[in-house]
Amino acid sequence: MSEPVLKIENLSKSYMLGKREVPVLSDFNLQVNTGEFVSIMGPSGSGKTTLLNVLGCIDKPTSGQVLLDGVDVTKLPEGELYKIRRNKIGFVFQTFNLLPYLDARENVELPMETTKKSKSERSQRARELLKMVGLSGREDHRPQRLSAGEQQRVAIARALANDPAIILADEPTGNLDGKNKREIVSLLANLNLDQGTTIVMVTHDGHVAAHTERRLFLHDGKITKEKQGLHLAKKKSVCPFCSNQIQTNEIFCSSCNKKLND
Amino acid sequence: MAIMISIPAGAIANQESTLSLTENLGSTITQTEASINQTLTQIDCTLTPSFEGFGFSPPDSGSGSTPPDFGGAVPPSSGSGNFTPGQFGGGSLPGQFGGGPFGSGGTVAMNETLYSDIASIENVAAVAAVLQASQGENQTMTSPDGRSFTRIVPEYVIEGIQLTSDLVDNYPILPSNITSGRNLQAGDDGVTLLSEENAVYFGANVGAELEILGETFEVIGIHGSSGVEDRTTLYMNLSDAQSLTDNNGYITSLQVFAENSEAVSEVANSISDLHPELSVSTSQQRLEELQALQSTYTTALESAEASVSQMQNTAFGEIVVAVAATSLIVLFVMLYTVRERTKEIGTLKAIGFSNWAVMSQFMLEGVLLSSVAGVVGIAIGSVAAPALSGLLLPTVAVLGGAGTFGRVASMGSPATVSITPELMVIALAAAIALGTLGSLYPAWRASKTRPAEAMRYE
């Protein structure tokens, strides 16, 4: 539980806007341990997505170190980075990013395409994952025949395909309505709880972030506030104020009406 | 894209057809030249018909045989006695002479001793004696003014030819167009070469035993007529024909061959001087015809050659344009595709596809796309190429349909465009090669797409 799966040291990232250098992240430090469910919140332009991209090895930092599972990914050439992305990281996108001409199972198989797994192994794994996210019987549906929530479930199954060290979710509920939002965040929370999957999620939705046990507030590329909260799914249960039985997704206690975490 | 690919295919096919047409014209001209050269040395001698002439003729030469006058084209002076093959030009109009004084005469024949006389003239290379007798039925007709007359409707013509090996091997005395069986040979005896019409008339085929005027002959071959002149002529050995028609020692014409074309008129004059009773003809008319034909062919050939060279330039230009256009189209289509699918590419890279995997994916798509386009293009090309060639090659199309040239065009190489399997393979290979070329840059662009950029792309 205390093993750091992700360790960021003195990370800086700046973009060139014409000749002017615009710093996005400066001297950023963060450590994420195995089995943590971390959310990163902040206004737009605060550097959330940049941070996630650097963590996900799809953008290079200007300086600093990113140790992922003990490997400094900032030192790796592009020719090696794709293997890190394939084997160590699972991405969940705001817009799902499923391939429209592949069915659910084929989409889930996609990250395994370039691995040594045999075709039947890949298929078997994809079925298991789809079952796990609650999409049994929908394996041969194409994305256009799935609801937004179901599409995001497929995307989560795809992110889990190669059993990654960490899941990076960029606004996973940004395109979903209330019910689907709750279902998806519960799914992530349950994955974290049941399987110990490490998840780093970027969101600007406090209700979604409320499901995580550790919340980081980002402003102008720096962590301005960090809160340890109650993992709703983990707690599952009792109001800290009145010991009343509570529902997993509730933000306010139905009995004492106090806000459950902040 | 498919059509772009079909255009060079059509152009190549077009060019090939024109080339084959040119080759065909070339060989026709050569044949015509050979024919002219042979004709140049040929002199036909027949006995000038007269009342006395009839007196010499054997009274009975078979069942009512009379030499038919086939010739509208025959000069009036040669009259009914003239039936040398070279001089029969027009259609058969026996009725024209039927009521006249010549119609009722017998066979006009030359004594065979003339042969040696003429053969000894200077510059005579060879002399072939010919006996021609026609068999037919008498038909009585009544003319509109009430006079009735009898004419002979010819059924077949027997032509006896002197079959010596020198003549047979070196001079055009036998029909050249044998459609089945074999031609007559030196020393043939008791055999006959029928025309196609004869074969139908007698109901006999190659190998059959055929009874002609009471004698039995074996049919050794069938010749296809080269015109109206020998459509009903059956050929046999001279001596066979003489005995068959009871004309022993008589011939009806001599074909004289001069040593060379320059000596022809000299030889002709010598024959006329020696035997003024002979009608001597040097086939001048036939020669002029052939020369006119040759000049037509030559003009057509020049025009076709000009057309081919023009065509080659055009085709080359077209191919360059088509290749450039095809590559550009593939390039733009693929660039568009890559742009459209930035998000997809970004996703693929984010979930762990290598640059190489992304690039090969797009290369494969480009190649598949152009292969399919190539197949479609070939299909369209095979249908559209003949129509296109008509548009692109008006000269040949017009010549192909016109008069004399039409015969050339029908002589084995019709002026239509055919898409050969070889051409299809080339076109398909070109399509795939161009697809690869056009996909290279877009695929590289795709592989270099930064996954971060693709992430939020809508």
Side-chain angles (χ1 to χ4, degrees), chain A residues 49 85 93 97 101 170, chain B residues 343-344 349 450 455-456:
Chain A
T49 299
R85 292 197 292 260
F93 307 94
N97 294 21
Y101 45 84
D170 186 6
Chain B
K343 187 174 160 186
E344 180 188 322
K349 294 195 75 176
R450 291 173 60 222
M455 202 73 14
R456 300 280 183 133

Side-chain angles (χ1 to χ4, degrees), chain B residues 2-21:
Chain B
I3 292 170
M4 296 309 295
I5 292 166
S6 81
I7 287 175
I12 292 166
N14 207 332
Q15 194 182 325
E16 285 191 349
S17 90
T18 314
L19 279 171
S20 82
L21 196 60

Side-chain angles (χ1 to χ4, degrees), chain B residues 32-393:
Chain B
T32 313
E33 264 168 8
S35 176
I36 286 175
N37 286 340
Q38 285 179 335
T39 312
L40 272 174
T41 60
Q42 189 176 337
I43 304 160
D44 295 319
C45 307
T46 44
L47 194 62
T48 313
S50 66
F51 258 89
E52 287 83 3
F54 290 118
F56 298 138
S57 67
D60 184 13
S61 56
S63 57
S65 79
T66 295
D69 192 324
F70 282 65
V74 178
S77 66
S78 42
S80 65
N82 188 334
F83 34 87
T84 314
Q87 284 185 320
F88 292 106
S92 142
L93 295 163
Q96 199 180 336
F97 294 94
F102 306 134
S104 55
T107 302
V108 180
M110 296 186 288
N111 193 298
E112 215 175 328
T113 54
L114 274 174
Y115 175 84
S116 47
D117 275 4
I118 289 169
S120 61
I121 291 173
E122 199 183 349
N123 278 333
V124 168
V127 179
V130 173
L131 176 76
Q132 207 179 38
S134 97
Q135 303 302 320
E137 279 179 3
N138 281 316
Q139 234 180 31
T140 305
M141 295 184 83
T142 309
S143 69
D145 59 6
R147 289 195 295 170
S148 80
F149 55 89
T150 305
R151 67 166 196 179
I152 289 172
V153 179
E155 278 155 355
Y156 56 96
V157 179
I158 297 167
E159 186 164 328
I161 297 177
Q162 221 176 352
L163 296 174
T164 68
S165 53
D166 176 46
L167 285 168
V168 170
D169 293 346
N170 303 320
Y171 300 97
I173 55 166
L174 288 169
S176 55
N177 179 15
I178 302 302
T179 54
S180 64
R182 64 165 176 87
N183 210 334
L184 286 170
Q185 291 170 351
D188 267 348
D189 198 11
V191 296
T192 180
L193 177 70
L194 301 183
S195 78
E196 282 168 349
E197 285 195 14
N198 293 150
V200 174
Y201 175 77
F202 290 118
N205 218 322
V206 176
E209 298 281 319
L210 178 64
E211 192 172 291
I212 304 170
L213 303 179
E215 297 219 18
T216 306
F217 290 87
E218 188 197 343
V219 179
I220 48 131
I222 290 174
H223 69 88
S225 163
S226 55
V228 289
E229 32 193 73
D230 61 352
R231 221 171 41 197
T232 57
T233 305
L234 59 89
Y235 295 88
M236 60 177 67
N237 191 347
L238 177 65
S239 54
D240 283 347
Q242 282 173 333
S243 65
L244 187 66
T245 58
D246 210 2
N247 271 321
N248 283 326
Y250 287 89
I251 54 180
T252 54
S253 65
L254 286 171
Q255 285 180 20
V256 181
F257 295 94
E259 289 285 0
N260 52 55
S261 51
E262 287 78 26
V264 166
S265 49
E266 190 195 318
V267 170
N269 289 338
S270 305
I271 296 170
S272 298
D273 289 349
L274 209 60
H275 291 283
E277 77 279 13
L278 289 176
S279 153
V280 177
S281 145
T282 56
S283 305
Q284 198 60 40
Q285 197 182 349
R286 175 89 176 129
L287 179 63
E288 279 163 12
E289 255 175 46
L290 284 171
Q291 279 166 341
L293 194 61
Q294 189 189 24
S295 107
T296 311
Y297 287 157
T298 310
T299 314
L301 176 62
E302 280 163 5
S303 147
E305 274 170 350
S307 178
V308 164
S309 90
Q310 188 194 335
M311 205 42 229
Q312 276 166 340
N313 292 336
T314 318
F316 182 72
E318 273 173 14
I319 287 166
V320 167
V321 170
V323 163
T326 310
S327 324
L328 280 178
I329 288 169
V330 175
L331 180 72
F332 287 130
V333 166
M334 290 307 292
L335 273 180
Y336 178 76
T337 310
V338 167
R339 201 180 145 72
E340 274 293 278
R341 290 160 65 183
T342 307
K343 187 174 160 186
E344 180 188 322
I345 298 162
T347 309
L348 287 175
K349 294 195 75 176
I351 64 173
F353 274 67
S354 62
N355 286 358
W356 173 243
V358 171
M359 184 154 173
S360 49
Q361 167 96 11
F362 277 83
M363 286 299 292
L364 189 69
E365 269 182 47
V367 170
L368 274 178
L369 182 70
S370 36
S371 312
V372 171
V375 171
V376 173
I378 288 164
I380 294 176
S382 358
V383 177
L388 275 175
S389 80
L391 291 173
L392 294 170
L393 212 57

